Amino acid sequence: EVQLVESGGGLVQPGGSLRLSCAASGFTFSSYWMHWVRQAPGKGLVWVSRINSDGSRTIYADSVKGRFTISRDNAKNTLYLQMNSLRAEDTALYYCAKSGSGSWFFDYWGQGTLASVSS
Amino acid sequence: SYVLTQPPSVSVAPGKTASITCGGNNIGSKSVHWYQQKPGQAPVLVIYYDSDRPSGIPERFSGSKSGNTATLTISRVEAGDEADYYCQVWDNISDHFYVFGTGTKVTVL
């Protein structure tokens, strides 16, 4: 059974940093592209970032480019999102998601971790 | 940036059919994927590559595409189908690459 468990969320002041983690199990983690998707309270889904299977290639939404960094440790089956220079508009539930076949959609999602940015 | 437009809400009686549309420029040339999100839960993939169904998703869920509109159809609607539904495509020109629709709240009367 595929499991994705996020952690690392919390309350941080504007300009601060958070590092999110996603522990994966139930599949060969090192074979799949992985993503972060976020959802602001009461709002829709917004894709944030993607990393390829060996961690050599990453892409970001324009809204987070230069502030967020996605990475992975295939030995630990763990995905990360380093979030710097946080803004109030980054407040959201952050989901870790596994790429489906062909990597153009998301076939499994974690339950999310909440990042709140407020003074 | 690429925009996918969905109706904000759809209401349907139990046992009837719900149709949720997803409109986007040239969507006919893109693969469309659909997700169901119940309150307080993570999204669940219900349709991928326009009309394929993941294992475990009831046959009552189907997807289609015509012209500039993709449609998720839920037949014989049940109370448990009440949720938000999102379409999604990949667009390599968009500032978000993986683009989600605006979401549709399905209410079972």
Side-chain angles (χ1 to χ4, degrees), chain B residues 13-58:
Chain B
K16 300 300 185 182
T17 297
S19 295
I20 305 162
T21 58
C22 173
N25 185 39
N26 202 29
I27 198 172
S29 68
K30 303 178 185 300
S31 293
V32 182
H33 319 288
W34 291 90
Y35 304 86
Q36 174 194 68
Q37 186 179 32
K38 296 181 179 179
Q41 297 185 20
V44 172
L45 178 71
V46 294
I47 293 289
Y48 63 103
Y49 290 131
D50 299 338
S51 58
D52 289 342
R53 216 174 24 255
S55 61
I57 299 301

Side-chain angles (χ1 to χ4, degrees), chain B residues 4-11 19-23 34 69-72 84-87 101-106:
Chain B
L4 291 172
T5 302
Q6 300 180 234
S9 63
V10 167
S11 297
S19 295
I20 305 162
T21 58
C22 173
W34 291 90
T69 302
T71 302
L72 174 68
D84 292 325
Y85 291 84
Y86 296 90
C87 57
T102 49
T104 298
K105 169 67 176 178
V106 169

Side-chain angles (χ1 to χ4, degrees), chain A residues 35 39 43-47 50 60-63 95 101-107 109-111, chain B residues 33 35 37 40-45 48-49 86 88-90 95-102:
Chain A
H35 303 259
Q39 187 171 34
K43 302 297 185 181
L45 301 169
V46 177
W47 173 84
R50 181 192 81 191
Y60 300 90
D62 282 356
S63 57
Y95 293 104
S101 61
S103 301
W104 309 120
F105 61 96
F106 318 98
D107 60 357
W109 300 63
Q111 286 301 308
Chain B
H33 319 288
Y35 304 86
Q37 186 179 32
Q41 297 185 20
V44 172
L45 178 71
Y48 63 103
Y49 290 131
Y86 296 90
Q88 176 255 313
V89 302
W90 155 263
D95 56 353
H96 275 81
F97 295 108
Y98 294 83
V99 181
F100 288 94
T102 49

